[in-house]
Amino acid sequence: MSTEFNELLPVSVSDKSQIWIIGTREQVLHTINEFYVKRIATDRVKFTPIIPAPFEGKYMSVLVR
């Protein structure tokens, strides 16, 4: 990933661990919901908003733990 792309993230990589979710918009939303139901993430606000990924037709969200 480029430095420019990493600067778009709300936290620096060294601050906390992250789980990156990349897929179609529906896959990303489903995975966010699944992580919340399985209590991997205790709150949906720990996910970044769904944004276009640097891959064609893919979207992404990041879970900051």
Side-chain angles (χ1 to χ4, degrees), residues 1-9:
M1 293 265 155
S2 70
T3 303
E4 296 165 353
F5 186 74
N6 288 336
E7 289 172 359
L8 296 174
L9 295 173

Side-chain angles (χ1 to χ4, degrees), residues 33-42 65:
N33 290 333
E34 185 178 7
F35 279 17
Y36 180 71
V37 168
K38 291 183 177 180
R39 308 199 47 77
I40 295 170
T42 57
R65 299 187 79 190

Side-chain angles (χ1 to χ4, degrees), residues 3-18:
T3 303
E4 296 165 353
F5 186 74
N6 288 336
E7 289 172 359
L8 296 174
L9 295 173
V11 296
S12 78
V13 175
S14 62
D15 286 346
K16 299 180 181 183
S17 63
Q18 300 175 353

Side-chain angles (χ1 to χ4, degrees), residues 6-61:
N6 288 336
E7 289 172 359
L8 296 174
L9 295 173
V11 296
S12 78
V13 175
S14 62
D15 286 346
K16 299 180 181 183
S17 63
Q18 300 175 353
I19 298 173
W20 291 48
I21 304 166
I22 300 173
T24 65
R25 189 172 187 81
E26 293 77 22
Q27 289 170 330
V28 172
L29 186 57
H30 177 76
T31 304
I32 289 171
N33 290 333
E34 185 178 7
F35 279 17
Y36 180 71
V37 168
K38 291 183 177 180
R39 308 199 47 77
I40 295 170
T42 57
D43 195 351
R44 285 187 174 98
V45 298
K46 297 195 182 264
F47 292 93
T48 62
I50 297 174
I51 59 171
F55 312 108
E56 188 174 329
K58 300 291 183 179
Y59 291 85
M60 67 178 285
S61 181

